[in-house]
Amino acid sequence: MTGLSPASPRPFVALTGFRFRLWPILLAAVLMQAILELGRVTAREIYFAGAPLWDGYISVFLLLAIAFQALLGLVAILVMRRLLPVADPHLRWPPGASYVGIAALIGIGMGLVMLAADYWPALTAQTPPNMSYSKAPLDSAGYLLGMITTGLAEETIFRGLLVGMLVVLVPGRLRIGALDLPIAAYLVALMFGLAHWKSFTVDPFYQAMAQQIYAFVWGLVYVWLMERSRSLLAPIVAHGLGNFTEVGIVIALNAIWS
């Protein structure tokens, strides 16, 4: 007679292959801040230098900042690939399933969640949500263009560069239930939330706190999409559609309820 013992239950949380290193985390934080800020500073200088050309449309600054941040992110990835050849920034067309359809649905859902989290007092009162940019149609169109393309910059920086680097330098995976992601995903998701710290200085506390929470969650979702599609395309789509959905509805509600 063979004695058989029941299989041990699978733990809900499991950490495997983790090796803690502080310096790569600090380096990633410095790179994040430097790229984001240098992109903004360059965009600001060009925006003010050419102010008469765009007649004060703030969306021009947004589009310039996205373009420069994306460019700086790509340059940083080129440097990373030279210094750390095993790092994978996922800058490729999806070799298999693209996950773009799922990413689009996720992005629209994200936009609706952000809308509720950011503007619930105005929504419940049916008053126009506060807009931090011009209501001029051309400026609104520029903002929508900026929102749909945000992922080109932020996914290149956060997922392509920072996750790509930290997966190698701070190895390990953390599984929570069915969610199994590299430690780098959680670290960069935290950085992604902290990158929005200025919202605490300009927005109501509830809105700034909500942004920290959903930015962290979205950061994990973007890595989930990136790993499954083996490409940055799906997270770029989800990121852009999420921002576009929220801002598009805010613009529409301002037009309807004003």
Side-chain angles (χ1 to χ4, degrees):
M1 181 175 179
T2 304
L4 296 175
S5 59
S8 300
R10 187 187 189 193
F12 183 75
V13 178
L15 178 64
T16 57
F18 176 52
R19 182 180 178 185
F20 177 75
R21 288 180 176 143
L22 180 59
W23 71 264
I25 299 172
L26 296 178
L27 175 61
V30 170
L31 280 173
M32 173 196 75
Q33 192 60 29
I35 292 172
L36 293 176
E37 194 57 33
L38 183 56
R40 292 189 198 105
V41 169
T42 307
R44 191 177 298 119
E45 292 297 321
I46 294 175
Y47 175 79
F48 284 115
L53 296 176
W54 28 78
D55 195 25
Y57 286 131
I58 304 298
S59 61
V60 174
F61 166 74
L62 173 66
L63 292 167
L64 286 170
I66 290 170
F68 283 113
Q69 288 171 347
L71 180 61
L72 290 168
L74 289 172
V75 170
I77 284 174
L78 290 175
V79 174
M80 177 185 73
R81 292 302 303 272
R82 188 169 184 84
L83 299 178
L84 197 64
V86 294
D88 184 1
H90 291 82
L91 284 178
R92 66 176 71 90
W93 192 257
S98 71
Y99 279 73
V100 166
I102 295 173
L105 293 175
I106 289 174
I108 293 170
M110 286 175 170
L112 296 175
V113 170
M114 292 189 293
L115 177 71
D118 293 341
Y119 299 106
W120 63 265
L123 296 175
T124 54
Q126 294 190 4
T127 56
N130 181 44
M131 289 170 52
S132 58
Y133 45 91
S134 168
K135 296 181 182 180
L138 189 57
D139 208 22
S140 294
Y143 252 84
L144 289 174
L145 178 60
M147 292 300 100
I148 202 70
T149 57
T150 305
L152 293 174
E154 295 191 354
E155 291 310 302
T156 299
I157 297 166
F158 285 95
R159 258 56 64 178
L161 174 65
L162 300 184
V163 172
M165 176 180 73
L166 290 180
V167 160
V168 177
L169 298 178
V170 187
R173 294 186 74 87
L174 175 61
R175 180 179 55 77
I176 303 175
L179 182 66
D180 186 357
L181 294 173
I183 291 295
Y186 298 91
L187 293 172
V188 175
L190 182 60
M191 293 179 195
F192 187 52
L194 293 176
H196 299 80
W197 66 269
K198 288 185 180 179
S199 59
F200 283 103
T201 66
V202 295
D203 296 325
F205 179 80
Y206 74 86
Q207 185 175 352
M209 197 66 236
Q211 289 177 359
Q212 292 295 308
I213 294 170
Y214 64 61
F216 178 80
V217 175
W218 296 171
L220 298 181
V221 173
Y222 297 144
V223 176
W224 183 87
L225 287 167
M226 181 180 75
E227 282 205 332
R228 274 143 190 81
S229 65
R230 292 185 289 167
S231 168
L232 277 183
L233 178 62
I236 286 172
V237 169
H239 197 144
L241 270 177
N243 290 345
F244 180 88
T245 297
E246 181 186 25
V247 172
I249 294 175
V250 168
I251 290 172
L253 291 178
N254 269 273
I256 294 169
W257 288 344
S258 293

PDB file of all heavy atoms in Angstrom, residues 222-241:
ATOM      1  N   TYR A 222      -0.207  47.485 -16.867  1.00  0.00           N
ATOM      2  CA  TYR A 222       0.597  47.717 -18.069  1.00  0.00           C
ATOM      3  C   TYR A 222       1.693  46.660 -18.214  1.00  0.00           C
ATOM      4  O   TYR A 222       1.989  46.211 -19.327  1.00  0.00           O
ATOM      5  CB  TYR A 222       1.220  49.114 -18.028  1.00  0.00           C
ATOM      6  CG  TYR A 222       0.217  50.242 -18.028  1.00  0.00           C
ATOM      7  CD1 TYR A 222       0.448  51.408 -17.291  1.00  0.00           C
ATOM      8  CD2 TYR A 222      -0.961  50.160 -18.751  1.00  0.00           C
ATOM      9  CE1 TYR A 222      -0.454  52.445 -17.289  1.00  0.00           C
ATOM     10  CE2 TYR A 222      -1.887  51.190 -18.751  1.00  0.00           C
ATOM     11  CZ  TYR A 222      -1.625  52.339 -18.014  1.00  0.00           C
ATOM     12  OH  TYR A 222      -2.534  53.365 -17.996  1.00  0.00           O
ATOM     13  N   VAL A 223       2.317  46.264 -17.090  1.00  0.00           N
ATOM     14  CA  VAL A 223       3.347  45.226 -17.167  1.00  0.00           C
ATOM     15  C   VAL A 223       2.709  43.882 -17.522  1.00  0.00           C
ATOM     16  O   VAL A 223       3.282  43.085 -18.278  1.00  0.00           O
ATOM     17  CB  VAL A 223       4.137  45.135 -15.847  1.00  0.00           C
ATOM     18  CG1 VAL A 223       5.135  43.978 -15.901  1.00  0.00           C
ATOM     19  CG2 VAL A 223       4.890  46.436 -15.586  1.00  0.00           C
ATOM     20  N   TRP A 224       1.533  43.608 -16.969  1.00  0.00           N
ATOM     21  CA  TRP A 224       0.815  42.377 -17.310  1.00  0.00           C
ATOM     22  C   TRP A 224       0.580  42.302 -18.822  1.00  0.00           C
ATOM     23  O   TRP A 224       0.818  41.272 -19.446  1.00  0.00           O
ATOM     24  CB  TRP A 224      -0.509  42.341 -16.558  1.00  0.00           C
ATOM     25  CG  TRP A 224      -1.318  41.099 -16.773  1.00  0.00           C
ATOM     26  CD1 TRP A 224      -1.226  39.924 -16.080  1.00  0.00           C
ATOM     27  CD2 TRP A 224      -2.356  40.911 -17.754  1.00  0.00           C
ATOM     28  NE1 TRP A 224      -2.140  39.003 -16.573  1.00  0.00           N
ATOM     29  CE2 TRP A 224      -2.849  39.584 -17.598  1.00  0.00           C
ATOM     30  CE3 TRP A 224      -2.913  41.715 -18.736  1.00  0.00           C
ATOM     31  CZ2 TRP A 224      -3.867  39.068 -18.396  1.00  0.00           C
ATOM     32  CZ3 TRP A 224      -3.929  41.194 -19.529  1.00  0.00           C
ATOM     33  CH2 TRP A 224      -4.392  39.889 -19.363  1.00  0.00           C
ATOM     34  N   LEU A 225       0.135  43.407 -19.412  1.00  0.00           N
ATOM     35  CA  LEU A 225      -0.087  43.444 -20.854  1.00  0.00           C
ATOM     36  C   LEU A 225       1.225  43.291 -21.615  1.00  0.00           C
ATOM     37  O   LEU A 225       1.297  42.588 -22.630  1.00  0.00           O
ATOM     38  CB  LEU A 225      -0.769  44.760 -21.245  1.00  0.00           C
ATOM     39  CG  LEU A 225      -2.243  44.910 -20.879  1.00  0.00           C
ATOM     40  CD1 LEU A 225      -2.690  46.363 -21.048  1.00  0.00           C
ATOM     41  CD2 LEU A 225      -3.111  43.991 -21.726  1.00  0.00           C
ATOM     42  N   MET A 226       2.258  43.943 -21.128  1.00  0.00           N
ATOM     43  CA  MET A 226       3.557  43.896 -21.805  1.00  0.00           C
ATOM     44  C   MET A 226       4.131  42.483 -21.794  1.00  0.00           C
ATOM     45  O   MET A 226       4.641  42.001 -22.813  1.00  0.00           O
ATOM     46  CB  MET A 226       4.532  44.861 -21.121  1.00  0.00           C
ATOM     47  CG  MET A 226       5.909  44.926 -21.759  1.00  0.00           C
ATOM     48  SD  MET A 226       7.028  46.075 -20.910  1.00  0.00           S
ATOM     49  CE  MET A 226       7.431  45.127 -19.437  1.00  0.00           C
ATOM     50  N   GLU A 227       4.046  41.806 -20.659  1.00  0.00           N
ATOM     51  CA  GLU A 227       4.601  40.455 -20.581  1.00  0.00           C
ATOM     52  C   GLU A 227       3.850  39.486 -21.482  1.00  0.00           C
ATOM     53  O   GLU A 227       4.460  38.623 -22.113  1.00  0.00           O
ATOM     54  CB  GLU A 227       4.562  39.957 -19.135  1.00  0.00           C
ATOM     55  CG  GLU A 227       5.661  40.518 -18.262  1.00  0.00           C
ATOM     56  CD  GLU A 227       5.990  39.625 -17.088  1.00  0.00           C
ATOM     57  OE1 GLU A 227       5.093  38.873 -16.619  1.00  0.00           O
ATOM     58  OE2 GLU A 227       7.151  39.659 -16.631  1.00  0.00           O
ATOM     59  N   ARG A 228       2.539  39.600 -21.515  1.00  0.00           N
ATOM     60  CA  ARG A 228       1.766  38.645 -22.303  1.00  0.00           C
ATOM     61  C   ARG A 228       1.883  38.890 -23.799  1.00  0.00           C
ATOM     62  O   ARG A 228       1.860  37.956 -24.587  1.00  0.00           O
ATOM     63  CB  ARG A 228       0.310  38.656 -21.837  1.00  0.00           C
ATOM     64  CG  ARG A 228       0.098  37.717 -20.667  1.00  0.00           C
ATOM     65  CD  ARG A 228      -0.894  38.222 -19.632  1.00  0.00           C
ATOM     66  NE  ARG A 228      -0.818  37.334 -18.457  1.00  0.00           N
ATOM     67  CZ  ARG A 228       0.127  37.444 -17.514  1.00  0.00           C
ATOM     68  NH1 ARG A 228       1.049  38.364 -17.611  1.00  0.00           N
ATOM     69  NH2 ARG A 228       0.137  36.613 -16.477  1.00  0.00           N
ATOM     70  N   SER A 229       1.986  40.132 -24.196  1.00  0.00           N
ATOM     71  CA  SER A 229       2.112  40.434 -25.625  1.00  0.00           C
ATOM     72  C   SER A 229       3.564  40.496 -26.078  1.00  0.00           C
ATOM     73  O   SER A 229       3.843  40.537 -27.275  1.00  0.00           O
ATOM     74  CB  SER A 229       1.433  41.765 -25.940  1.00  0.00           C
ATOM     75  OG  SER A 229       2.099  42.834 -25.297  1.00  0.00           O
ATOM     76  N   ARG A 230       4.495  40.560 -25.097  1.00  0.00           N
ATOM     77  CA  ARG A 230       5.934  40.707 -25.363  1.00  0.00           C
ATOM     78  C   ARG A 230       6.222  41.958 -26.200  1.00  0.00           C
ATOM     79  O   ARG A 230       7.122  41.985 -27.038  1.00  0.00           O
ATOM     80  CB  ARG A 230       6.485  39.449 -26.036  1.00  0.00           C
ATOM     81  CG  ARG A 230       6.480  38.230 -25.109  1.00  0.00           C
ATOM     82  CD  ARG A 230       7.127  37.027 -25.744  1.00  0.00           C
ATOM     83  NE  ARG A 230       6.299  36.479 -26.819  1.00  0.00           N
ATOM     84  CZ  ARG A 230       6.709  35.592 -27.712  1.00  0.00           C
ATOM     85  NH1 ARG A 230       7.952  35.173 -27.701  1.00  0.00           N
ATOM     86  NH2 ARG A 230       5.880  35.135 -28.638  1.00  0.00           N
ATOM     87  N   SER A 231       5.442  43.003 -25.927  1.00  0.00           N
ATOM     88  CA  SER A 231       5.570  44.248 -26.688  1.00  0.00           C
ATOM     89  C   SER A 231       5.023  45.401 -25.851  1.00  0.00           C
ATOM     90  O   SER A 231       4.181  45.195 -24.967  1.00  0.00           O
ATOM     91  CB  SER A 231       4.800  44.141 -28.001  1.00  0.00           C
ATOM     92  OG  SER A 231       4.671  45.401 -28.638  1.00  0.00           O
ATOM     93  N   LEU A 232       5.484  46.632 -26.154  1.00  0.00           N
ATOM     94  CA  LEU A 232       4.951  47.826 -25.498  1.00  0.00           C
ATOM     95  C   LEU A 232       3.655  48.313 -26.137  1.00  0.00           C
ATOM     96  O   LEU A 232       3.005  49.225 -25.605  1.00  0.00           O
ATOM     97  CB  LEU A 232       5.980  48.965 -25.555  1.00  0.00           C
ATOM     98  CG  LEU A 232       7.081  48.985 -24.504  1.00  0.00           C
ATOM     99  CD1 LEU A 232       7.941  50.226 -24.686  1.00  0.00           C
ATOM    100  CD2 LEU A 232       6.521  48.941 -23.096  1.00  0.00           C
ATOM    101  N   LEU A 233       3.250  47.712 -27.263  1.00  0.00           N
ATOM    102  CA  LEU A 233       2.093  48.225 -27.984  1.00  0.00           C
ATOM    103  C   LEU A 233       0.822  48.191 -27.132  1.00  0.00           C
ATOM    104  O   LEU A 233       0.103  49.194 -27.054  1.00  0.00           O
ATOM    105  CB  LEU A 233       1.873  47.421 -29.270  1.00  0.00           C
ATOM    106  CG  LEU A 233       0.660  47.827 -30.112  1.00  0.00           C
ATOM    107  CD1 LEU A 233       0.795  49.269 -30.585  1.00  0.00           C
ATOM    108  CD2 LEU A 233       0.485  46.889 -31.301  1.00  0.00           C
ATOM    109  N   ALA A 234       0.524  47.068 -26.501  1.00  0.00           N
ATOM    110  CA  ALA A 234      -0.712  46.953 -25.724  1.00  0.00           C
ATOM    111  C   ALA A 234      -0.751  47.936 -24.559  1.00  0.00           C
ATOM    112  O   ALA A 234      -1.767  48.621 -24.356  1.00  0.00           O
ATOM    113  CB  ALA A 234      -0.909  45.518 -25.239  1.00  0.00           C
ATOM    114  N   PRO A 235       0.319  48.053 -23.741  1.00  0.00           N
ATOM    115  CA  PRO A 235       0.257  49.063 -22.681  1.00  0.00           C
ATOM    116  C   PRO A 235       0.153  50.493 -23.199  1.00  0.00           C
ATOM    117  O   PRO A 235      -0.499  51.333 -22.571  1.00  0.00           O
ATOM    118  CB  PRO A 235       1.559  48.844 -21.896  1.00  0.00           C
ATOM    119  CG  PRO A 235       2.394  47.921 -22.690  1.00  0.00           C
ATOM    120  CD  PRO A 235       1.480  47.161 -23.592  1.00  0.00           C
ATOM    121  N   ILE A 236       0.762  50.779 -24.340  1.00  0.00           N
ATOM    122  CA  ILE A 236       0.626  52.122 -24.921  1.00  0.00           C
ATOM    123  C   ILE A 236      -0.831  52.395 -25.278  1.00  0.00           C
ATOM    124  O   ILE A 236      -1.367  53.489 -25.020  1.00  0.00           O
ATOM    125  CB  ILE A 236       1.538  52.264 -26.160  1.00  0.00           C
ATOM    126  CG1 ILE A 236       3.003  52.382 -25.727  1.00  0.00           C
ATOM    127  CG2 ILE A 236       1.139  53.480 -26.997  1.00  0.00           C
ATOM    128  CD1 ILE A 236       3.990  52.331 -26.879  1.00  0.00           C
ATOM    129  N   VAL A 237      -1.502  51.409 -25.868  1.00  0.00           N
ATOM    130  CA  VAL A 237      -2.912  51.559 -26.235  1.00  0.00           C
ATOM    131  C   VAL A 237      -3.772  51.753 -24.997  1.00  0.00           C
ATOM    132  O   VAL A 237      -4.622  52.657 -24.934  1.00  0.00           O
ATOM    133  CB  VAL A 237      -3.386  50.335 -27.043  1.00  0.00           C
ATOM    134  CG1 VAL A 237      -4.906  50.342 -27.204  1.00  0.00           C
ATOM    135  CG2 VAL A 237      -2.715  50.314 -28.419  1.00  0.00           C
ATOM    136  N   ALA A 238      -3.589  50.902 -23.980  1.00  0.00           N
ATOM    137  CA  ALA A 238      -4.387  51.006 -22.760  1.00  0.00           C
ATOM    138  C   ALA A 238      -4.164  52.352 -22.077  1.00  0.00           C
ATOM    139  O   ALA A 238      -5.122  53.009 -21.645  1.00  0.00           O
ATOM    140  CB  ALA A 238      -4.041  49.860 -21.809  1.00  0.00           C
ATOM    141  N   HIS A 239      -2.917  52.765 -21.990  1.00  0.00           N
ATOM    142  CA  HIS A 239      -2.575  54.035 -21.333  1.00  0.00           C
ATOM    143  C   HIS A 239      -3.220  55.217 -22.052  1.00  0.00           C
ATOM    144  O   HIS A 239      -3.867  56.075 -21.434  1.00  0.00           O
ATOM    145  CB  HIS A 239      -1.056  54.191 -21.319  1.00  0.00           C
ATOM    146  CG  HIS A 239      -0.551  55.204 -20.350  1.00  0.00           C
ATOM    147  ND1 HIS A 239       0.629  55.034 -19.660  1.00  0.00           N
ATOM    148  CD2 HIS A 239      -1.044  56.400 -19.955  1.00  0.00           C
ATOM    149  CE1 HIS A 239       0.830  56.090 -18.878  1.00  0.00           C
ATOM    150  NE2 HIS A 239      -0.168  56.936 -19.057  1.00  0.00           N
ATOM    151  N   GLY A 240      -3.044  55.251 -23.357  1.00  0.00           N
ATOM    152  CA  GLY A 240      -3.589  56.365 -24.128  1.00  0.00           C
ATOM    153  C   GLY A 240      -5.109  56.411 -24.097  1.00  0.00           C
ATOM    154  O   GLY A 240      -5.706  57.481 -23.922  1.00  0.00           O
ATOM    155  N   LEU A 241      -5.767  55.264 -24.264  1.00  0.00           N
ATOM    156  CA  LEU A 241      -7.226  55.246 -24.262  1.00  0.00           C
ATOM    157  C   LEU A 241      -7.804  55.579 -22.896  1.00  0.00           C
ATOM    158  O   LEU A 241      -8.867  56.196 -22.790  1.00  0.00           O
ATOM    159  CB  LEU A 241      -7.744  53.884 -24.718  1.00  0.00           C
ATOM    160  CG  LEU A 241      -7.966  53.724 -26.221  1.00  0.00           C
ATOM    161  CD1 LEU A 241      -8.404  52.305 -26.550  1.00  0.00           C
ATOM    162  CD2 LEU A 241      -9.002  54.726 -26.726  1.00  0.00           C
TER     163      LEU A 241
END
